[in-house]
Amino acid sequence: MDFALLCTRVYTLFLLVLLYSPCMHVRSPIDLNPLNSILETPTEASVDYGRIIFNSPAAILRPKSPKDISLLLGFLSSSSSNKYLTVAARGAGHSIYGQAQASGGIVIEMDSLPSSIKIHRWGDGDKIISYADVSGGTLWIELLEESLKLGLAPRSWTDYLYLSIGGTLSNAGISGQAFKYGPQISNVLQLDIITGEGELVTCSPSKSSELFYAALGGLGQFGIITSARIILQEAPKKVTWVKAFYSDFDLFTKDQEMLISMPEKVDYVEGFIVLNEKNFHNSFAAFPSLDSMIPKLEKGILSEVYYCIEFTVYDYQPKDSNVKQVVEDISREMSYIPSLIYTVEVSYYDFLNRVSIEEKSLRERGMWDVSHPWLNILVPKSGIEEFKDLLLEIISPDQEFEGLILIYPLLRDKWATNTSAVLPESDEVVYIVGILRSANPSDRLSDILRENCRMAKAAAGNQAIRAKQYLPHYHSQEQWKEHFGSGWEQFAGRKLRFDPRNVLGPGQGIFPN
Ligand code: FAD
């Protein structure tokens, strides 16, 4: 960008800032904003996947380079008249409760940064190290497609791939591979971050490490991630994908825990609670063998509520693979209902991108652009049975349930320490439970939110469960302090250091501006 253009942009920002000066009459900033190239009329930025909270920003920044972001934040932090102006990065906007919104502030659309994916490989033989340098607004699906061209792929995923790199790294990024490699935040070598004061810092575990760890799981509070260095590995050729059904919760969790204890054989483990037949269709839309399952379920082989384990074994060999044998060996050790096991073989790409099939089906049914009052809870192994009972007490299998319930174990020691992500305080095995509902019809929304609130409160407060929210959402700083527990001092101290004026991440509501 040339210097004259930069000056014009800074001047526009200055106008915007003046508009928000508390001692001036505040008019619509859009009327007076003369610089459409950088600050645009807010549109999508007040909407997210949740469709529950709609906060309009005053303006949108569409950065053409990290420097634009640095300029904005540097300018805001050097002026005394802008103390109410906040800034939120928006990745793919797939938050649920307005986390990427900035009421009356500025939203930075991260997808405007030129998408850049540079793949590096060095070393020989077994010692090859591969990684990708990716811009913060890039989607995981884009990284997958680019890296697969070289036979490589990231190790740790989310179930849905149309999420941004910066957005999931600001949370954790959890999927069925996390038991083996940790969440996505455990698979990052380096970050480029622009702090709340506009300073561009390259950080890693050995360089400016405090900022590196703060930003991982940092809920967008410490800086804007403009680039990340993600570990890659050889991509498998194919995936054998298995689903096995249970009516006994204890057997279900024992088998899940057995599967995560064999990382040398198993590559992915997830699971579902299936409340009723309708819920079954929602949970398995992407599984190719769905049609063969339905007749058995219609015969009522399963109890009212049942449980499904999903695991995979990756195949790296173009031929003569022993994967079939490996799957048979694993299955023999499991205690699912005899005859209720289904196995399919799919490409690695189709497996990772499986939720896009569900997305298509939901869009066709008009169920994608509705409110999504989701609740994600991390529950220590010692509390999972009690939590399941609580869940089934609050959400009766007889009620209309539009959505799905994910439940699978993770291993604490695969989580990088010192990040901002929060896990329950006890147990090596921690379950992630995702109660992913759509409000259909829309007047169900307030009931569902009430149920979520009851469940989250009971799960956190009950000493036998002691859960923590994942993708957390709270209404007061007191609740946030409780969420972080003994980590609050560190989190608040990092905020003071990297964003002392509380400019960043207002949608999270952690540090009221
Ligand atoms: P946004 O919603 O745009 O932003 C989220 C937060 O990160 C905001 O606070 C925002 O300000 C901040 N932020 C965004 N970009 C940056 C940046 N570059 N630098 C600093 N801060 C930034 N999560 C999982 O872990 N596992 C899953 O399997 C999974 N599946 C999902 C499936 C669906 C259909 C959906 C809608 C969500 C799913 N999620 C999952 C949740 C998802 O990881 C989070 O909602 C994530 O924040 C979405 O990324 P995003 O790019 O849309 O972020």
Side-chain angles (χ1 to χ4, degrees):
M1 187 195 314
D2 67 59
F3 184 67
L5 185 56
L6 263 184
C7 290
T8 326
R9 289 181 172 180
V10 169
Y11 175 69
T12 307
L13 286 169
F14 182 60
L15 280 184
L16 184 83
V17 167
L18 279 183
L19 282 171
Y20 277 82
S21 166
C23 57
M24 286 188 69
H25 172 62
V26 177
R27 289 194 280 151
S28 161
I30 286 104
D31 295 342
L32 293 183
N33 172 12
L35 221 167
N36 290 328
S37 60
I38 184 165
L39 294 164
E40 294 184 0
T41 308
T43 47
E44 275 196 343
S46 55
V47 182
D48 58 24
Y49 186 75
R51 287 180 184 262
I52 296 165
I53 290 174
F54 304 89
N55 286 315
S56 286
I60 308 283
L61 177 72
R62 296 193 187 282
K64 296 287 165 264
S65 75
K67 232 175 160 185
D68 287 355
I69 301 174
S70 166
L71 197 76
L72 169 71
L73 290 170
F75 179 78
L76 294 182
S77 78
S78 64
S79 157
S80 59
S81 56
N82 65 4
K83 57 183 177 181
Y84 299 112
L85 202 59
T86 55
V87 175
R90 186 178 195 270
H94 279 83
S95 289
I96 297 299
Y97 296 102
Q99 286 95 334
Q101 297 173 15
S103 179
I106 300 176
V107 166
I108 304 178
E109 294 281 14
M110 295 304 292
D111 63 356
S112 293
L113 282 179
S115 178
S116 159
I117 302 175
K118 290 192 183 119
I119 294 176
H120 307 267
R121 293 186 90 164
W122 45 281
D124 322 289
D126 287 349
K127 300 240 164 68
I128 292 184
I129 295 176
S130 311
Y131 59 81
D133 285 322
V134 196
S135 52
T138 303
L139 301 179
W140 286 93
I141 185 80
E142 297 172 311
L143 175 55
L144 175 64
E145 288 174 353
E146 202 54 34
S147 55
L148 278 182
K149 289 179 189 163
L150 298 175
L152 298 169
R155 313 190 294 191
S156 184
W157 292 97
T158 46
D159 294 346
Y160 181 59
L161 305 185
Y162 293 78
L163 306 171
S164 75
I165 304 280
T168 71
L169 294 183
S170 297
N171 286 292
I174 304 172
S175 185
Q177 301 86 359
F179 81 91
K180 191 160 170 165
Y181 298 111
Q184 289 176 329
I185 54 169
S186 297
N187 291 277
V188 183
L189 299 172
Q190 182 176 293
L191 296 171
D192 285 349
I193 297 182
I194 298 169
T195 66
E197 297 195 294
E199 191 188 353
L200 206 163
V201 182
T202 297
C203 55
S204 69
S206 57
K207 192 175 156 203
S208 302
S209 61
E210 188 70 11
L211 180 58
F212 178 76
Y213 291 119
L216 293 171
L219 307 173
Q221 297 303 303
F222 307 106
I224 310 281
I225 300 169
T226 55
S227 177
R229 179 166 289 179
I230 311 283
I231 298 174
L232 303 178
Q233 66 177 10
E234 183 189 347
K237 305 275 180 283
K238 285 171 290 180
V239 174
T240 296
W241 182 9
V242 183
K243 284 184 193 281
F245 289 84
Y246 297 73
S247 40
D248 183 307
F249 186 72
D250 194 41
L251 290 179
F252 163 75
T253 51
K254 277 202 176 100
D255 276 1
Q256 281 194 321
E257 288 169 28
M258 179 188 71
L259 290 172
I260 65 163
S261 72
M262 5 169 117
E264 68 296 346
K265 290 183 183 163
V266 178
D267 292 292
Y268 160 103
V269 179
E270 288 201 4
F272 303 89
I273 298 180
V274 186
L275 292 177
N276 49 42
E277 199 187 321
K278 183 166 183 199
N279 185 212
F280 167 83
H281 288 273
N282 292 336
S283 307
F284 303 120
F287 194 64
S289 202
L290 181 72
D291 289 347
S292 66
M293 293 175 175
I294 291 168
K296 286 186 182 162
L297 297 168
E298 280 173 350
K299 275 189 210 147
I301 287 178
L302 288 160
S303 61
E304 196 173 49
V305 173
Y306 48 99
Y307 311 96
C308 172
I309 288 184
E310 177 173 83
F311 76 91
T312 69
V313 177
Y314 292 169
D315 192 347
Y316 293 87
Q317 307 302 326
K319 53 183 185 175
D320 300 333
S321 123
N322 67 344
V323 165
K324 203 165 168 233
Q325 190 58 48
V326 174
V327 170
E328 274 175 27
D329 293 346
I330 297 169
S331 311
R332 215 171 298 119
E333 292 182 48
M334 295 168 68
S335 308
Y336 51 85
I337 299 172
S339 86
L340 286 186
I341 186 162
Y342 300 86
T343 303
V344 291
E345 192 183 85
V346 291
S347 73
Y348 184 53
Y349 180 86
D350 286 348
F351 173 69
L352 289 179
N353 198 23
R354 61 199 177 280
V355 176
S356 67
I357 295 176
E358 283 165 33
E359 175 180 355
K360 188 165 170 270
S361 140
L362 288 167
R363 281 190 189 278
E364 282 165 6
R365 292 163 48 215
M367 292 297 295
W368 187 256
D369 293 325
V370 298
S371 300
H372 295 100
W374 286 11
L375 176 66
N376 286 277
I377 304 255
L378 291 157
V379 183
K381 167 186 158 129
S382 53
I384 193 64
E385 175 106 35
E386 190 122 358
F387 180 77
K388 183 266 297 175
D389 292 342
L390 174 75
L391 190 154
L392 294 180
E393 185 193 309
I394 293 176
I395 303 174
S396 152
D398 303 329
Q399 84 178 50
E400 276 290 301
F401 184 94
E402 190 72 56
L404 55 96
I405 305 175
L406 283 171
I407 172 167
Y408 56 93
L410 310 165
L411 288 172
R412 177 187 299 276
D413 71 354
K414 297 292 176 190
W415 287 59
T417 51
N418 211 18
T419 69
S420 296
V422 172
L423 282 175
E425 273 154 28
S426 67
D427 293 9
E428 176 53 26
V429 174
V430 171
Y431 279 80
I432 172 86
V433 185
I435 303 142
L436 313 182
R437 293 208 257 182
S438 303
N440 180 41
S442 57
D443 58 10
R444 287 276 295 126
L445 179 61
S446 50
D447 289 342
I448 297 176
L449 289 173
R450 249 192 311 277
E451 285 169 4
N452 283 352
C453 192
R454 233 180 103 199
M455 205 157 7
K457 263 193 186 155
N462 182 328
Q463 282 312 299
I465 304 178
R466 291 163 298 139
K468 295 284 181 188
Q469 281 189 41
Y470 174 56
L471 309 170
H473 169 62
Y474 298 106
H475 298 282
S476 72
Q477 196 173 70
E478 275 320 298
Q479 292 172 321
W480 279 107
K481 284 183 183 170
E482 231 167 82
H483 172 76
F484 284 102
S486 56
W488 170 254
E489 292 301 320
Q490 184 188 49
F491 195 83
R494 284 169 164 178
K495 182 72 172 177
L496 204 59
R497 182 161 167 202
F498 300 117
D499 180 29
R501 293 160 68 100
N502 289 350
V503 171
L504 296 173
Q508 301 279 3
I510 308 173
F511 300 99
N513 181 297

